[in-house]
Structures are given as C-alpha cells and as structure tokens.
Amino acid sequence: MPPKYIVVLGLLMSGLGKGAVTSSIIKMLDFYDLKVLPVKFDGYLNYDCGTMNPYRHGEVFVLNDKSEVDMDFGLYERFLNKDLTGNLSITGGKLFSKLVNKERKGGFLGEDVQIIPHLTNEIIENIESIYKKTNPDVLVIEVGGTIGDIENSYFIESMRQFATNRDVTFVCLTYVPALDVVGEQKTKPTQIGLRQLLQLGISPDIVICRSKASLEKKARDKIALFSNLSTDRVIDDSDDYTIYHLPVHFIDQGLDKVLLEDLGISRKINKAKLNEWNSINSKIKSPKGEVNVGIVGKYTGLKDSYASLREALIHSGAFNNVRVNIDWIESTDIEKKGQTDRLSKLNGIIVPGGFGKRGTEGMINAIAYARENKIPFLGLCLGMQMMTVEYARNVCGLDKANSSEMDPKAKHKVIDIIEWQKGIKTKGGTMRLGAYECLLAPNSNSYKAYSKKKITERHRHRYEFNNKYRKVLEKNGLVIAGINPKENLVEFIEWKDGFGVGTQAHPELKSRLESPAPLFISFVKEAINRSAGE
Ligand code: GLN
C-alpha cells in the first residue's frame, strides 16, 4: 500500500481541541485495525517542552524513551493505548538546530539557506524517515497552532508541497460560534478562515466544526459551500459528555467511511473493539456512584498542568464505575488557611508533581491531615517527596526535615539531589527521565495494585529519597514498598495503616482509557470504600 497521510490543521483560534480531533481520527482508524501513528508539529523554538512552564503551556508529557513532549502526546497515547516515541514530535527548535548543524558541516555549500526550500525540505525528510522507520498504514500529522500564525507557517507550506505528489487528506478544525444558546450559529469566521487557507494553497477535504450546540443544517450547508465540499464532509464536533466519545460521534456521522474512501482503504470495522470502547464510555456517562478526590497542587490555576492526572482519574473512575469529582485545591491556600473543612469532605487526596518551594508547606499540611484521618492518599513524585518530609517531621521527629530543593541548608535532607545529577549544569533534557524499573515489596499495597513484582513507570525528577534516612524512617513505620534495583533508589513508600502510597514515578502518564493505571484503580477503590464507610 503506498504511504497514506492525514494532516490536521486548525482555523481561527487555539484551544478548540485539535489534539482531541487528531486522537479521535487515530482511534477511528484503530477500530479498523489499521496501524496508525501520530506526528505533531510544534512551531516554538524550544527543542522540546522540557524547559517550559507547566503553568503556561500545560503539562510536560514524558515518553518511555525519555522524551519530554507536548501534552498532545498524552492524548494520543490515552486514545491509542500504545507507547509512542519522541521522534514523532517535530518542533521548530529541533528543525532549526538540525539545519544550522548541517550548514556548519558544509551540507549546503555555496547556497543561502532558506525557509523555503531548505527548512520545508527538512520537514518533508523527517516525515519520510518516520514513515520508513515505522511503516504504518496511515500517518496522522497534527500541525500545532492556527492558520495565520507565523510560527507554524513553514509547516503549512511544507504540507502543501508534500501533498502535491502524495496521498494526503487535509482535515481542518474550525469554530462555529453562536451568540447565545438559542442564537443562530455564525459561519462567517469559518468562511474567512477557509479563504485564508485556500490562499496558502491548501483546500480542505474535511471540515470539522467545533461548537457548543449541535451544528445546524444551515451552518453545515454554508460551510460546505465555502469549502467546495459535499455536506457529508462537514462534521459536527459539538460539546459532549467526554472527549472519549468523539471517535464514536465521528463514526455516527460517517467520517470513518469518508476518510477510508479518501485513503483508498476498504476494510470492515472491528466491532469488538468498538463495543469495548462504547461500554467504557457508558460508564463515564452514567456511573453507578461518585467519589470526591482533592488534588492539592501548586499549579491548580491551569488544569492542563495536571492533564494526565485528571484523565487517569476518569479512566480509573470508569473502571470502578464511579464518577470522580475533583476538588482542585491550591496548596498555598492550605498554608494560609488550613482548609480542614474542605479536606474533611474528601474521600481521597492526591498531591501531584511539581517544582520549587512555593506551596510545599501546604502539601505537607494536607498529607498530615490525610495520614492522621486515614483518608486514602496518593503522592506522585513531588507528592511522594513531601510525604517523606511529612513523615520525617511529624512521626520521626526530625525537626525541619525537608527536600534540599526547598531548603538547601536543611539539617535533615530526607530528599536530596540524585548523586549523578550533581555534575549536571545544562537544564534541557537532563532530569532522570523516562521509563525505569521498580521491584515492589510483597504484601505492600503497591504490589496489590499492580499484582506483580517487577513494574515500569515513567519519571521526571532531579531529587530522590535520601537512603541515609531509610533506616530511621523504616524504624518509625514507613514502608519502603518499591526499589529501583539498578540505582538502589526508593521508588514507592507507604503508610502502614490505611491506604497511603507515594511514588517517585508518574503512573498517571501511562494511564489509558482501555488500561487505567493500576495504582489509580486501587486508589479509587479505596476512595469508594471510604465514602461507603462515612
Ligand atoms: N521537583 C522534584 C524533583 O525534581 C519533583 C519533580 C516532579 O514532581 N516531577 O525531584
């Protein structure tokens, strides 16, 4: 089969859910048992997302292979239920650094190196090399940003060139506003956006319309007319109860048939796969119960900072047939106001990852409250580190114990910089990143959650549990529940009583709708028990 490509572009504005649309297209093709892979173009000049602020850009997603990638990769993996690799993320930073290196080596002797054709060729070569290496049935390329951005203009131009002699279907996501709920849907912004796209030499094969209410016939007809398409190629993407329903919503409108026709593929859908997906969705839609979980973090102002965590709770909630209501608690607020009223209403508490001192004392307060009141608790990375600090201070009596990240002069540095991190001076891609093995202690809650001894989870940190304090913490009842065998690094800790697990890893990064993270499944079960016992 000759290479097949789908390119997903965005009109008008960001934040419409282009990642969800791309993931849904991928999933739709996966229902047909096609081998499909995503590629993401990002125009920013950072080499990768690792040095960005989660508060601005959202979560930094980490893959098994140590790559720090855009949070859209989290979406792709959660839909596709497959581990992806960092070479699928193509950023402006990677492209420019490669191009300049090539030029310095004499790769373009005698030429003046230009955006067109050198940079655009570089993009095309990247795509072709991914195709050769992975040999998928279909590559789905998501172009980050919006038509009209300077940052992604060279990606769009390269896709125009790319499509001239290849099998490419262009999917374009637009926004159809209505002034109020009963107001008429307006297509003028889309008309202007489509004209802009046509000026760039690209005409869409499919237009997907993001809107609040269902797309009206009048609006659909008008958009079809302006994009030279039949109306079955203008697709509704109105508000739904969960993004995981989007692939099914697309299938219900026949988008699968249209896409397969464009790709020249004739296949039958794998009904068992689709049914399984539908049955999980129905648990999200009408769960049997609900639990209240508090997330005590330092970036709660931007929920996307914790995208994988939020999704992991949806997955494990659906698995346990409950809705997990999240109370986002800014940890600095707990420092100032205590907020025990709010904490007492929770069936479970999570302290997630993070960097820097701000808010950590509030996290420690919340952890102490969970431990003392036997509220099921999960500490993830920084959360596990603060769980260690809380135990050292309040149970072992190690006064002012801390992580050296928060207090470099602390007398008891129960969390300290990883030995091999000490010599590292550069910041990009130098943390302890990616998948590491861990051996779980039999009889521990962690072992019970995973039902196996040897597990692998993803990491992103520079500090670790200080083994010098292992004895005193253990003597005072802290359970060391998991160790990385190669580095002898404590990866999992637990309280003896109740359910309190801290892990240096980020199990939320591997949670998918069809295979929720085991530790989250156990945590939600414990939260259900707690709510039943109230
Ligand atoms: N700041 C901590 C460290 O670097 C925790 C990192 C995290 O939570 N991802 O070790």
Side-chain angles (χ1 to χ4, degrees), residues 28 66 70 80 124 140 152 184 243 251 266 283 303 337 350 397 425-426 439 464 490-491:
M28 237 168 33
K66 303 181 192 293
D70 198 87
L80 198 54
I124 293 172
V140 182
N152 69 10
E184 184 191 11
I243 51 166
I251 290 173
S266 109
K283 286 189 197 141
K303 310 286 180 283
K337 302 176 210 144
I350 298 178
K425 296 275 179 291
T426 53
L439 298 179
E464 64 171 331
V490 174
E491 296 272 19

Side-chain angles (χ1 to χ4, degrees), residues 353-356 380-382 385 405 460-463 504 506:
F355 295 81
L380 307 169
C381 203
L382 179 65
Q385 298 178 350
E405 180 184 4
R460 183 169 188 261
H461 63 119
R462 291 189 201 279
Y463 294 81
Q504 189 55 78
H506 286 281

Side-chain angles (χ1 to χ4, degrees), residues 347-376:
N347 311 122
I349 294 178
I350 298 178
V351 173
F355 295 81
K357 188 171 175 5
R358 183 185 64 81
T360 50
E361 290 301 320
M363 292 175 182
I364 293 168
N365 292 347
I367 296 168
Y369 187 87
R371 187 178 52 74
E372 282 159 9
N373 295 283
K374 295 204 170 52
I375 299 179

